[in-house]
Amino acid sequence: MKVKYLMIAIMAFILAGSASAKKVKNIPQTDRQYWAGLCYKIAQPILENMSKGELQKNMPLELSPNWDGRNVKVSYLEAFGRLMAGITPWLALPDDGTPEGKQRKQLHDWALASYKNAVDPQSPDYLLWKGELQILVDAAYLAESFLRAPESTWYQLDKTTQQRYIQCFKGLRVIRPAYNNWLLFRAIIEAFFLSIGEEADMYVLRVACCKINEWYLGDGYYSDGPEMAFDYYNAYVIHPMYIEVLEQCEKHKFWTPVSSKLAIQRMQRYNTVMERLVSPEGTYPGYGRSLVYRMGAFQTLAMAAWRFGMPKNISNGQVRSAITAVMKNMFKVDGNFDDKGFLRLGFVGHQPNLANSYTDNGSLYMTSLVFMPLGLPADAPFWTAPAEPWTSQKAWSGKSFPIDGHVSLKTEK
């Protein structure tokens, strides 16, 4: 009889534990947990492999069907540079014992080893530093990663590795940039030199600061060179890098045609437009070149969330909700990742026909630029504000939403 009661007690305990576990399992995932999980999923195959010198061995390359014939080794620099520009703000947070914190620390450890391997001629993952114009682009994103979180990146590298980066970056001064957003790639590297007390090419900084300002059209948009290009390069490159270059110039008392304050106001106007482009369902228009950069189109909103706050009449809750909805719609579709976890060519899923002639699967890590808000602590307003409908949801459900109109911002106010 005692055995019978003991068995009943054991079964009751097991069932209670199972119900409890099911209850825990059903706790809704927060937006931050979703973002952090997706960020880790995207970053892990790159950094784990590269930290061991095995990225070039293990990363299958997928090239555009119209590949332009450049050295395919540019792909690895693209993947590493673009990834780090987006995730270093997150990696800069203090270590903690949370599940997120453990993943973040793992990525940070891998990243530091990867930074070293990237410029170590003895490493199998020594990156391509000569021969292709494309190298300038992705060296710029690496320099930007150092600017965004210097204490957790640049200043944790040994002196030999630092000197190797300086020499690699200086070696790119022979590249003549295209007369468009590429001026900022040269400039951000020189701005990085300013930040570490290294001699910078001030002429390059002057030209970039002046030409980008001359190409400002109004209403938050710069043209990409002398002509307007209807795409997302204002988000991929122009607004963020221009602001970061201006900030370093101002910090070091170097004249610029406009202030970083005005450049930020212009970006915030652009952000007002970008937030309205998110449909009620949580999608955004697929237009322009380099569309396969996926969530990179939201870099300016991500940067504002991380550093400057939201534009007027836009709340943290609505921006977080809008971007999260787009992420979920995009990454729930099969085909975004290959069987090793690396990104595949496409906008939503696998769509290689959308790749431009210069696009490979390393290029796709531009999507990581959206993750800058993870650099905010979990109790920051961006993460704790209640979820809210974004502008198009309000508009298409008959709710009140702010009126909009042209904003010039051509000169200082």
Side-chain angles (χ1 to χ4, degrees):
M1 203 68 173
K2 288 182 179 179
V3 173
K4 179 180 178 182
Y5 286 129
L6 179 60
M7 292 300 295
I8 292 172
I10 290 172
M11 289 300 298
F13 177 78
I14 292 172
L15 290 172
S18 176
S20 177
K22 188 174 182 180
K23 188 175 181 181
V24 170
K25 190 176 180 180
N26 289 336
I27 292 176
Q29 186 182 45
T30 67
D31 288 346
R32 185 181 178 94
Q33 288 171 331
Y34 175 76
W35 284 49
L38 180 60
C39 184
Y40 185 85
K41 179 177 181 178
I42 290 171
Q44 177 264 328
I46 300 295
L47 297 184
E48 182 176 12
N49 279 290
M50 193 167 180
S51 69
K52 296 183 287 189
E54 296 179 354
L55 181 65
Q56 297 183 43
K57 171 187 172 185
N58 293 333
M59 179 180 175
L61 294 184
E62 184 182 17
L63 308 178
S64 166
N66 303 307
W67 185 245
D68 60 11
R70 68 186 67 182
N71 189 330
V72 296
K73 286 189 70 174
V74 299
S75 307
Y76 307 112
L77 177 57
E78 287 181 89
F80 182 53
R82 297 172 187 214
L83 173 68
M84 296 314 299
I87 71 171
T88 51
W90 186 38
L91 303 189
L93 288 181
D95 291 342
D96 61 56
T98 64
E100 176 195 321
K102 291 175 182 177
Q103 287 191 326
R104 186 173 65 242
K105 184 181 187 308
Q106 179 65 85
L107 290 179
H108 190 199
D109 290 344
W110 285 337
L112 292 175
S114 299
Y115 275 126
K116 183 176 180 179
N117 286 338
V119 289
D120 181 358
Q122 302 306 313
S123 170
D125 275 340
Y126 179 65
L127 297 176
L128 186 68
W129 291 105
K130 292 181 181 179
E132 297 290 349
L133 301 182
Q134 180 65 36
I135 298 167
L136 174 63
V137 177
D138 298 293
Y141 283 105
L142 270 181
E144 188 176 42
S145 78
F146 293 142
L147 281 172
R148 287 177 173 176
E151 297 301 327
S152 63
T153 58
W154 180 255
Y155 291 111
Q156 291 196 28
L157 300 177
D158 61 86
K159 295 297 182 183
T160 298
T161 298
Q162 289 179 345
Q163 194 57 39
R164 284 170 172 167
Y165 271 104
I166 290 169
Q167 293 308 311
C168 286
F169 286 169
K170 285 185 176 180
L172 301 178
R173 285 173 168 170
V174 300
I175 295 177
R176 184 177 299 174
Y179 198 55
N180 54 21
N181 70 86
W182 277 48
L183 296 180
L184 287 168
F185 299 138
R186 279 285 279 113
I188 200 78
I189 293 174
E190 300 303 326
F192 166 66
F193 284 148
L194 278 181
S195 76
I196 61 171
E198 191 71 22
E199 184 177 358
D201 188 331
M202 309 310 281
Y203 180 73
V204 166
L205 289 168
R206 176 66 59 89
V207 170
C209 289
C210 289
K211 293 311 299 183
I212 299 299
N213 183 55
E214 288 175 19
W215 292 333
Y216 184 67
L217 302 175
D219 230 16
Y221 280 85
Y222 295 92
S223 63
D224 190 6
E227 288 191 29
M228 172 67 179
F230 197 55
D231 53 35
Y232 291 106
Y233 271 79
N234 269 263
Y236 297 151
V237 183
I238 299 172
H239 279 294
M241 283 197 177
Y242 193 37
I243 289 169
E244 288 164 325
V245 167
L246 290 171
E247 287 178 329
Q248 288 302 319
C249 289
E250 290 171 352
K251 185 176 179 180
H252 293 85
K253 312 299 182 185
F254 181 65
W255 179 87
T256 58
V258 295
S259 67
S260 61
K261 178 182 177 182
L262 179 59
I264 292 165
Q265 290 173 342
R266 291 172 175 176
M267 186 180 76
Q268 295 289 44
R269 172 57 189 156
Y270 180 80
N271 280 339
T272 300
V273 175
M274 280 301 302
E275 189 271 344
R276 288 176 179 242
L277 286 181
V278 179
S279 75
E281 300 78 20
T283 62
Y284 74 98
Y287 63 79
R289 70 186 181 99
S290 299
L291 190 62
V292 293
Y293 294 169
R294 292 184 170 98
M295 297 300 300
F298 294 94
Q299 183 184 194
T300 53
L301 275 166
M303 188 179 193
W306 174 46
R307 292 194 52 202
F308 308 119
M310 289 296 109
K312 184 180 179 182
N313 294 325
I314 299 179
S315 71
N316 283 301
Q318 71 187 83
V319 169
R320 189 191 72 243
S321 298
I323 295 178
T324 303
V326 175
M327 277 185 190
K328 289 182 175 180
N329 281 326
M330 179 172 284
F331 287 100
K332 74 182 180 183
V333 176
D334 290 337
N336 287 293
F337 301 94
D338 66 18
D339 58 3
K340 291 187 175 182
F342 295 97
L343 288 170
R344 302 174 80 195
L345 296 176
F347 174 52
V348 180
H350 189 220
Q351 302 153 313
N353 63 299
L354 294 178
N356 297 88
S357 63
Y358 49 80
T359 308
D360 54 77
N361 55 331
S363 314
L364 312 180
Y365 288 85
M366 193 79 84
T367 196
S368 306
L369 297 172
V370 76
F371 292 119
M372 281 187 280
L374 287 172
L376 297 168
D379 60 357
F382 181 78
W383 297 111
T384 60
E388 293 183 42
W390 48 95
T391 301
S392 66
Q393 283 189 322
K394 294 175 183 176
W396 286 94
S397 61
K399 295 178 181 177
S400 177
F401 65 99
I403 193 171
D404 191 39
H406 170 74
V407 181
S408 175
L409 298 173
K410 283 276 190 178
T411 57
E412 305 282 348
K413 296 295 184 183

